Amino acid sequence: MLIGALLSGLTLGGMYALIALGLTLQYGVARIMNLSYGETLVAAAFAAYWLFVGADVDPLIGLIAVVPGAMVASWVVYRILLVPLVRRSTTRDALEVDSILATFGLLFALQGLMLVQFGGAYYSYSFLSVPVRILGSVVAANRLLALVFALAIGLGLYLLLTRTRIGTAVRAVAVDPVAARLVAIDVGRVAALAFALGGGLVAAGGVLTSMFLTFNANIGVVFTMKALIVVIMGGVGNMMGCLVAGLILGLTETFVATWVDPGLTLAATYGIFLIVLLVRPQGLFGGAAR
Amino acid sequence: MTYWTKALGAALALALAADGAAAQDAGAKSIKIGYAISKTGPNAGGANITQIPNYQLWVKEVNDKGGLMLSSLGKRLPIEVIEYDDRSNSEEAVRAVERLITQDKVDLLFPPWGTGLNLAVGPVFNKYGYPQLAFSAVTDRAPELAKRWPNSFWLLGTSAQYVEALVALLTKMRGEGKINDTIAMISIADGFGIDLSAAARSGFGKAGFKLAYDKSYPIGTQDLSPLIGEAARSGADTFVAFSYPPDTMALTNQSKVAAFAPKVMFLGVGVGFPLYPQNFGANTEGIMSLGGWSTDNVGTAEYRKRHLAMHGRDPDYWASQVGYSSLQMLEQAIERVGKIDREAIIKELQNGTFDTLLGKIKLVDNMPKDALWLIGQWQNGFYTGVAPQRAGVKPVVVPKAAWK
């Protein structure tokens, strides 16, 4: 039973981390608090559904098309919609407020497009919904896959950010965009890159979660909220923090559901969130971005 | 800026004036029907499957005939539709319905989706005397509401009815030695789950069943495997879940993965959605839920074909056929009265007998009696009515087929 709960918790936590990785880049580095984040995720889920049901394309192969597509789309959104905001904002706080307003609008535009195309009905499909046995406990292959991707992407990005030159530039922008300019970092380009990369990550999250979650055009805000909690808890802009926070939340929910009461999972999630905010307001791994 | 506001104001005034003028003689050109429904927000999933397609189908079919026959005018009048999005928000729904009545001056209204919103707009429908044929609301207060608002009709019945039917089925199976007397129940912590689980708790208790596991979970729970694990360990032969569509899908998926196979598996909203057999194919076999279809009803089979042709998907096997029948009842009531006299239409709905998809329906205290299936089960790929015991009932299949 312990192993079962542990596995469920880890896969759920992996999913939370996966859907939050993109936001931590967009919010932490590009300094865009993207409220249309969840809608981007749902759009990717629809793309995966459409490819799978309509064209018989395996969602895992679909990733190859959807992720770069989302990166390009995010880059365009950043260049056209967000760069003017970045230019005119004098402080980081001003940019945050402006970006919230702009992406709030984007949220409705995206949601409207999906409603026109798919209506408000529920969608889901079955893919890789097969049991995998680990230490005598059973877990669904598609959920396990989401965990594996979350770990791989999270660790990969962590290494990229800490061990490479471009990664250092990205971190420099996250810490201090003004000082970064002094050491000849093209802040605009790095921020655009981070935003686009975040868009690609959220699309990957959307494709992977669409394999086991039922979604519709209106469900995006649920993911934005969850991702925001994970990002703030882990420390904005921190990949490791994002992974750890996601896993903590997943494990907490599962343990509470198994041994206390499933009705208290949300309370437990927000309880932990509150404690972290009280004890470490900068997030678990907050401080300098890594 | 001022120029623009003035121009805008003038344009608006003109538009309103034109609108008012149109409304006055519109009586002779068309019948205006308005509705506010959840096109966005959390209710949209249900509204888009069960309700909106029915409205569109019925309006198209009536207009293809040339409209509704009003004998007072001696001719058919086409239906003109005014639709608003209530954004799954009860204040918004009330505001939209009031607007439909006072500004758009609609002749008739369709109800919104779900128990909560139907309760929210009930007072407005009642205040202005519009018939409210609610077909996506299940509430134990229905008899009381029908008394308080005689213009309201509660076609889907009460939660107690569903629970009674389920308990009767389970008691019979237990008597035949097919299941033990232990039940594991989970429910969503929202209107539908709270209502039905409360009714079920007392119903199971009275019938001598033991609830080995009884928990609720919050909306938006994305992993139900801990609950499935606990239910499996409880030793219950019967698993009952009063769930919403996303959870119903997840429960089916995760039960299959965990190889959790109770003898009776009863799940909530969503089992009757076209999405369900599409996703789970042969694995739906033996799964039970609310609603159900007759295997031998030509009317519903025809309806399903027309629904499929217009919308490219099947109706919901619980409330859709009831919804379309309610529109047929409205149509017949209007044509019998022969004019848009809402009071007379309400009276006719209360007392008349109507020919519908589901057969002849006569309402008793504004609710159908013995007219619809309460419990259905997937049998050979068809969502078959298995309770209550009425003409055309099929025996329930236990134990549920193994997962494939």
Side-chain angles (χ1 to χ4, degrees):
Chain A
M1 198 159 127
L2 178 71
I3 305 265
L6 209 60
L7 269 179
S8 300
L10 285 175
T11 50
L12 183 66
M15 183 194 107
Y16 288 159
L18 181 67
I19 60 178
L21 281 168
L23 190 66
T24 204
L25 268 185
Q26 293 190 335
Y27 188 31
V29 181
R31 289 289 152 187
I32 302 295
M33 179 50 240
N34 185 2
L35 281 187
S36 67
Y37 185 79
E39 273 60 32
T40 318
L41 185 138
V42 176
F46 270 118
Y49 171 88
W50 183 73
L51 283 172
F52 183 67
V53 176
D56 219 9
V57 177
D58 197 308
L60 292 175
I61 295 172
L63 275 176
I64 300 169
V66 176
V67 172
M71 284 180 73
V72 171
S74 297
W75 189 80
V76 170
V77 163
Y78 187 84
R79 295 312 290 188
I80 294 176
L81 191 73
L82 300 170
V83 160
L85 301 184
V86 176
R87 287 223 176 97
R88 78 164 186 228
S89 62
T90 43
T91 64
R92 197 178 268 191
D93 293 340
L95 175 58
E96 215 158 277
V97 173
D98 283 353
S99 69
I100 285 177
L101 292 177
T103 53
F104 196 46
L106 193 59
L107 179 166
F108 288 109
L110 267 175
Q111 196 182 63
L113 283 175
M114 289 190 286
L115 279 169
V116 168
Q117 190 59 37
F118 294 96
Y122 287 110
Y123 287 83
S124 80
Y125 59 91
S126 281
F127 181 76
L128 274 187
S129 178
V130 290
V132 176
R133 262 182 196 287
I134 299 176
L135 299 174
S137 277
V138 170
V139 59
N142 44 25
R143 286 180 188 255
L144 192 64
L145 195 68
L147 171 66
V148 170
F149 264 82
L151 290 175
I153 295 174
L155 293 175
L157 277 177
Y158 175 76
L159 292 178
L160 187 80
L161 289 180
T162 47
R163 301 286 153 83
T164 66
R165 198 181 163 78
I166 177 81
T168 311
V170 168
R171 282 188 296 138
V173 172
V175 173
D176 194 334
V178 179
R181 222 168 254 134
L182 296 178
V183 289
I185 294 173
D186 186 342
V187 173
R189 272 188 51 189
V190 170
L193 179 77
F195 191 82
L197 202 56
L201 287 184
V202 64
V207 172
L208 288 163
T209 49
S210 74
M211 299 189 299
F212 52 89
L213 287 187
T214 304
F215 52 93
N216 69 10
N218 296 299
I219 215 161
V221 63
V222 175
F223 295 109
T224 310
M225 291 299 292
K226 207 81 201 193
L228 197 56
I229 291 178
V230 174
V231 167
I232 307 258
M233 202 170 132
V236 174
N238 191 301
M239 292 295 143
M240 281 314 257
C242 190
L243 266 183
V244 172
L247 292 177
I248 288 178
L249 286 184
L251 285 169
T252 309
E253 278 195 20
T254 310
F255 286 171
V256 167
T258 310
W259 286 295
V260 188
D261 190 313
L264 294 177
T265 48
L266 275 186
T269 304
Y270 286 105
I272 290 214
F273 184 48
L274 265 180
I275 293 171
V276 169
L277 284 188
L278 286 173
V279 180
R280 275 188 74 85
Q282 70 274 42
L284 290 174
F285 287 60
R290 287 225 157 79
Chain B
M1 203 61 168
T2 27
Y3 169 76
W4 276 109
T5 13
K6 267 187 200 158
L8 207 67
L12 209 66
L14 268 175
L16 281 176
D19 208 36
Q24 271 156 23
D25 58 10
K29 284 190 204 128
S30 70
I31 296 171
K32 268 195 199 177
I33 297 187
Y35 59 91
I37 200 149
S38 310
K39 300 192 79 156
T40 54
N43 290 352
N48 270 289
I49 284 182
T50 311
Q51 209 138 334
I52 299 172
N54 267 324
Y55 291 167
Q56 291 169 342
L57 180 63
W58 180 77
V59 168
K60 180 182 171 285
E61 288 181 352
V62 169
N63 281 344
D64 284 351
K65 282 190 287 194
L68 289 170
M69 181 68 201
L70 295 188
S71 53
S72 64
L73 299 173
K75 64 173 178 182
R76 286 185 178 275
L77 284 188
I79 294 170
E80 183 193 332
V81 170
I82 302 176
E83 179 192 67
Y84 293 124
D85 178 10
D86 64 32
R87 307 208 313 253
S88 305
N89 171 320
S90 41
E91 286 95 72
E92 197 72 35
V94 168
R95 214 173 304 143
V97 169
E98 270 184 344
R99 187 195 153 93
L100 283 165
I101 296 171
T102 55
Q103 287 191 35
D104 301 321
K105 303 202 186 324
V106 294
D107 297 305
L108 291 162
L109 289 166
F110 287 158
W113 186 86
T115 310
L117 289 190
N118 268 295
L119 292 179
V121 301
V124 187
F125 274 72
N126 180 257
K127 179 176 158 200
Y128 293 99
Y130 281 71
Q132 180 182 7
L133 289 141
F135 67 88
S136 52
V138 178
T139 165
D140 276 332
R141 290 169 59 205
E144 170 207 334
L145 291 170
K147 257 192 216 114
R148 194 195 314 162
W149 304 326
N151 63 309
S152 69
F153 301 86
W154 303 88
L155 296 153
L156 224 43
T158 63
S159 30
Q161 279 181 310
Y162 290 92
V163 168
E164 262 167 45
L166 178 62
V167 169
L169 268 185
L170 292 176
T171 309
K172 187 159 168 276
M173 289 182 233
R174 185 182 56 185
E176 290 163 358
K178 287 177 178 159
I179 55 170
N180 64 17
D181 62 352
T182 332
I183 297 175
M185 176 169 83
I186 64 170
S187 53
I188 189 150
D190 192 50
F192 167 82
I194 296 168
D195 253 36
L196 274 122
S197 64
R201 215 163 280 134
S202 84
F204 291 153
K206 273 183 209 146
F209 283 100
K210 280 193 298 240
L211 270 174
Y213 186 68
D214 175 12
K215 296 284 181 196
S216 74
Y217 60 89
I219 285 192
T221 299
Q222 275 141 354
D223 181 9
L224 291 150
S225 60
L227 289 92
I228 293 171
E230 289 301 307
R233 275 187 284 275
S234 73
D237 276 351
T238 304
F239 178 65
V240 175
F242 295 112
S243 50
Y244 277 167
D247 339 323
T248 304
M249 300 290 156
L251 277 172
T252 313
N253 242 325
Q254 297 197 296
S255 298
K256 188 187 117 196
V257 168
F260 168 52
K263 290 182 179 155
V264 173
M265 189 162 191
F266 181 96
L267 305 177
V269 190
V271 171
F273 285 6
L275 188 64
Y276 201 71
Q278 199 179 305
N279 266 353
F280 301 115
N283 272 323
T284 57
E285 211 54 30
I287 291 177
M288 294 162 65
S289 183
L290 309 129
W293 274 46
S294 301
T295 46
D296 53 359
N297 185 334
V298 185
T300 46
E302 270 292 307
Y303 160 69
R304 181 186 161 189
K305 261 186 222 150
R306 301 196 317 260
H307 192 289
L308 190 64
M310 178 163 179
H311 299 292
R313 61 166 187 251
D314 280 342
D316 160 22
Y317 288 112
W318 177 15
S320 275
Q321 48 178 350
V322 184
Y324 191 85
S325 300
S326 80
L327 298 172
Q328 289 180 306
M329 291 168 63
L330 185 66
E331 174 179 350
Q332 287 162 30
I334 295 169
E335 293 192 342
R336 281 178 208 166
V337 170
K339 57 183 181 219
I340 302 298
D341 175 349
R342 286 183 287 271
E343 207 174 314
I345 293 171
I346 290 171
K347 200 150 266 155
E348 181 57 34
L349 284 167
Q350 287 166 341
N351 303 317
T353 304
F354 302 93
D355 266 320
T356 71
L357 293 178
L358 297 167
K360 286 211 186 310
I361 293 188
K362 182 177 180 340
L363 299 181
V364 181
D365 296 330
N366 289 16
M367 284 165 60
K369 209 165 187 266
D370 290 336
L372 41 124
W373 297 111
L374 298 172
I375 310 288
Q377 181 180 39
W378 283 100
Q379 295 182 358
N380 302 319
F382 190 87
Y383 191 57
T384 315
V386 292
Q389 301 302 314
R390 51 196 284 262
V393 70
K394 296 284 179 229
V396 64
V397 177
V398 264
K400 186 192 101 58
W403 298 111
K404 288 184 187 80

